[in-house]
Amino acid sequence: MMKLNDLFNRPEVEVLGQVLLHSLWQGVGIAVVLAALLWLFRHAKPNPRYWLSLLALFACAALPIQTFVELGRSVKPLQAPSPDIQPRGNSRVRSQLPTLSPMTDSSVEALTSQWTEASPTIVPEKTLRHWKMKIEPLLPWIVLIWSLGVAFLSLRLVLGLRSMRRLRTSFVSCAPKGIHQSLSKLSQLMNLNPVDIRMSRIVDVPLVLGYVKPIILLPGSAIVGLTPHQLEMILAHELSHIKRGDHYVNLLQHIIETLLFFNPAVWWISNQIRQEREYCCDLMAMQFCKSNSRDYAQTLRQLDHLRSYEQFSVAANGGSLLKRIFKLMGKPLMPNPVQGVIGLSLILISIVIASVAMAQTQGGVLKIAFASMQQLDPYKSAAGGEIDAFSQIFDPLIIPDREDYSPTPHLAESWENVDDVTWVFKLRQGVTFQDGNEVFPEGANRELTADDVVYSINRFLEVSTSFTLGEIESVTALDKYTVEIKTAKPDPFLLSDPNRLARVLIVPHEAIEQLGDEGFAQNPIGSGPFELESFIPDQELKLVRNEDYFITPNLDGVEFVFIPDPTVQTIALEAQDIDVVSYLFNIDSVTQLSENPDLTLLPGAGSYRGLGFNVTTSPFDEFEVRDAISKAIDIDAAVNAVVAPYGRRAYGQVPYWFEFKEDPELADLWSYDPEGALEELAEAGFTDSDGDGILDRDGEPLTLTIKTIPGSQVRVLTILVTQLKELGIDANLLQQDVAVWADDLQTGNDTGIFFDYSFASLTGLYSLFYGGNAGKTNTHFYSNPEVDALLDEASATLDFETRNSLWLEAQRKIMADRAGIPLYFENGYAIVNNYVKDFVPGSAGLHLVSLQNNVYLDK
Amino acid sequence: MFNYLVRRLLTNIPVLLGISFITFTLVTFAPGDAISLMLGSETVNAANVERLRLELGLDKPWYVQYANYMKGLFQGDLGTSITSQQPVAKQIFERFPNTLVLTLSAMLVALLIAIPAGILSAARRNRPEDYGAMFFSMLGVAMPNFWLGLILILFFGLELRWLPIRGMGSLDEGFWDVISHLILPAFTLGTALAAILTRLTRNAMLDVLAEDYVRTAKAKGLKERIVLYKHALRNAIIPVLTTAGLQFGGLLGGAVIIETIFSWPGLGLLSINAIRQRDLPMIQGSVLVFALCFMLVTLLVDVLYSAIDPRIRYG
């Protein structure tokens, strides 16, 4: 059983604590706005004022939920990632960002100014940090006290509702006939279903009880104390409540008050609603009874003798009687100086809390672990640490969107397709290369122009081994800030694939010419947010803020720390010796780290893992055998046992995080049917002819040796192998070194069955199953002219919908052919300490400062 | 002595050639190669990889590749790394001093622990000091060094926060910075050797202490300290030094693991990554440097014999 201490140390509790604090200033802010609006509409009818107040109350309830979701996202996944890639980080900023649409100067300025703004100036930053540090340890206590308060008030609410129910039946008698008649007349007039009315000996004010079938309860004294006309007005008032559905709203109000009981603003707003509600009903009652305000005021005064009793119902004496009479008589209310002082104090407190809550900490050095970093020429490597560093020093034209990986503007402010093969990019003006180095002395930097883009793309085409741009016909600078790229054939992936154009980082030609390739690899100069301070290969890389960058980075610098061992990386992260492990792809470590409340797990793109067949090797060249194997294994059981919640079942190869969506039809393609598998194998000639428990054909046992590399799949495959063995298939697992495995698979794989892996790039399906890639990335040696044609056509189709349907059709054919059996997608995670804010897991490089985010430390 | 040194060095050349040949053929004929690994990537630029293969001459028969490699080697060129496309020699010589510092420190730690412990153990044979030393010696051999390394990191680095857990430190930060970074990895690496050498020192000392000349020295009335350190130890130390020299190769091998755990930017890590990626020039270069280093240490031990025991003369 989880101890209370553990419960309150959970990250969700901390988030809840923060939410409660945030809700204080949010509520006060809303109350202030409401007060201002009510003052503006002080002469308006009560109905709009009522709706305004109600809206304010719902906003008070909705904002904490939104805050919780927002903060919760940045903490860790509480459950398996949803089918769509989980949105991360600050959606406030995200929602302002265009995705594919070109950005205008003004929108960029608006965005950049948002980041360059200093912290709110009302309270000095140091004081804010001091208070934040003081408040943080108190968060679990705040949540504890809040929970107790909610529990107490909930109990009170439940007991109140129960006593209300009892009021319907205890000490009640039938109302006199005259009252019934008045009531039914009024009900008809108001277009209401008949409402029951009872006389109560306990209540001393008229009230409406119940939710499904509300009734009116009248105090016995009302018959004696009020004239028939006055009684009619009271009944009309109560019926107005029913007509308006006030009893439902009242219940909601109580729930919100219970949850946000600590917030005086909520109580004030709630009281405001009650007040306005009564005004509304007063007006309605007067209208239906055709009486004047003086008579109605007189009735209310009479009611004053009957003091308030119930608060969980809507009653005719709700709200301040004096105010109601003043309102009816159309007289102004005297302002209350004490309320003014309280209001002002609340405003000041809310400003202080809001400032503390919203304080962004500028400065600090972010420490990121890396395992290998030998050189920094961005076109000559694909090692993880190096790629993380490249995007700090250099800028790409486009950056994949943090949520759906679609291209977003960076150096390229906008782009357009002039025709199917021509892309024209408009560059951001005023971006300069870093200075203070041997190529550009301090102050002698120059602007990045279209010529640099042309030079960079040409150099990329020439030297890059890790990434490709596809077939490029020409790259031309049309003017200083306009670049034209012509592709050999229409190529939608040039932009939409995060591994194409987004990988081309812009370099200054002088640097490479002056320093030489090797010199440049050790002394890189780019236009990125951070510039080189020192670099010792495989030891350390220190970068400092590029003061001239077009977005002012929040961080003073970035330090890449050499820690080759993944275990030590996680130890160092937990000890806050480093701040970030940028990519962790190990389910055991992820599980362990997810238990640490000081760390945040940010899901990034993952990988595809399946079973692959070399469809040219016997017996896997027979469809029946491949199909039977797919039926013989219970994939769901194995995947759930090993990778959930950090991975999920795959029914096809196309990953769910890129533009091509998961194909729902594929799920029906796979079923766990061991008996069907045996039958199919028998049809293919595999039976246990010699009685040794192993299926065989022509004296040859059915042997499956699955070649794999280390990873979570070893455990999944072990389960599957056991299932296959139970069916009489001689299955086993052969774990290999990565290089041996890759070589074996490319050269034909004698065993014919293998662990099928892809880091699930956008065009992974093409890599793994396109006939032309056989023997390279297509280790299935699968070649289906129909599939090849579909993939070819899709790769040259700019219209997304058509491309998507072609791509998914190709996938359906591949899966129907059983060229592979998809097992699961495993998520990759960036792990950061909680004080690292606005961090986005890398895609096409790690971007710490972009139009989408600007990482800061909130220590 | 000079002639001896020259002769020894010259005889090492064919050994090195042999090693380079064996390494080359082993890696070439082992399954998997760097280019297939690159080609296996989904985002690969296959045309550029093919061109890289041609540029590096990896398309030629293995004997041509070996001949080209040897030609470069005699010109002082260790080739270019396939994966990082940087000169191998530059990377190796940046890293090698770090590995040397680590292994020599580990050796020093081992000797500083083993010799006093071995002497104490022999001098107090079958007494609590002896049992204590032997117990720790057993423990030292039994503990895997990667495990010991992690435990030391957790305890001294994270729990007590006395010592840094990663990196090498820098002289710019002061001498203590370098030493403090060195303590944990050197101790971790040296423990197993210390354990072996303690036992060896004890046994050698026990043998020597039973010799007539020791009895004579004692009979002469010499102090026990003089007998132990001046008469016995000088004779007992020869097998200890021989073993220590031979174990230096083991230390270099162990450094691969220790460098990974303590983020020590040495040659061990570079070579293990090279092996994973089948980066033949880098593997070849690392192995040659390791082999050369091992040979030089063995030579050094031989030279030390004559310094310790004047009866040993080389000519």
Side-chain angles (χ1 to χ4, degrees), chain A residues 563 565 567-572 575 577, chain B residues 145-167 181 184-185 187-188 257-264:
Chain A
I563 308 181
D565 185 69
T567 312
V568 181
Q569 281 191 0
T570 55
I571 290 175
D577 188 27
Chain B
N145 56 10
F146 66 88
W147 178 82
L148 179 65
L150 284 177
I151 294 296
L152 291 178
I153 284 180
L154 288 172
F155 190 68
F156 289 101
L158 298 183
E159 192 63 37
L160 300 175
R161 291 188 177 265
W162 286 355
L163 294 165
I165 59 169
R166 57 168 180 84
H181 279 86
L184 288 184
F187 182 80
T188 312
I257 297 164
I258 300 302
E259 284 174 7
T260 312
I261 293 174
F262 289 95
S263 314
W264 192 269

Side-chain angles (χ1 to χ4, degrees), chain A residues 709-720:
Chain A
I709 49 174
S712 62
Q713 68 278 359
V714 172
R715 276 176 274 172
V716 173
L717 293 174
T718 305
I719 295 174
L720 301 184

Side-chain angles (χ1 to χ4, degrees), chain A residues 374 461-462 464-467 522 538-539 561-564 568 571 575 577 737 739-740 743 746 758-759 761, chain B residues 32 36 39-45 48 51 84 86-87 91 95 98 158 161 166 260-261 263 265 269-270 278:
Chain A
Q374 291 170 2
L461 291 171
E462 203 177 302
S464 171
T465 49
S466 310
F467 302 105
Q522 304 299 317
D538 274 3
Q539 280 192 49
V561 179
F562 175 62
I563 308 181
V568 181
I571 290 175
D577 188 27
D737 177 61
V740 179
D743 195 56
Q746 284 171 28
S758 117
F759 63 81
S761 61
Chain B
S36 351
L39 286 175
S41 162
E42 289 156 56
T43 58
V44 70
N45 189 330
N48 284 358
R51 219 194 47 232
S84 73
Q86 297 284 302
Q91 290 186 64
R95 307 293 204 83
N98 302 343
L158 298 183
R161 291 188 177 265
R166 57 168 180 84
T260 312
I261 293 174
S263 314
L269 203 60
L270 194 69
R278 299 293 190 273

Side-chain angles (χ1 to χ4, degrees), chain B residues 120-139:
Chain B
L120 182 77
S121 196
R124 304 269 188 276
R125 190 182 181 185
N126 293 338
R127 295 189 27 202
E129 296 92 324
D130 184 23
Y131 295 138
M134 286 308 99
F135 172 75
F136 283 107
S137 151
M138 190 106 80
L139 206 64

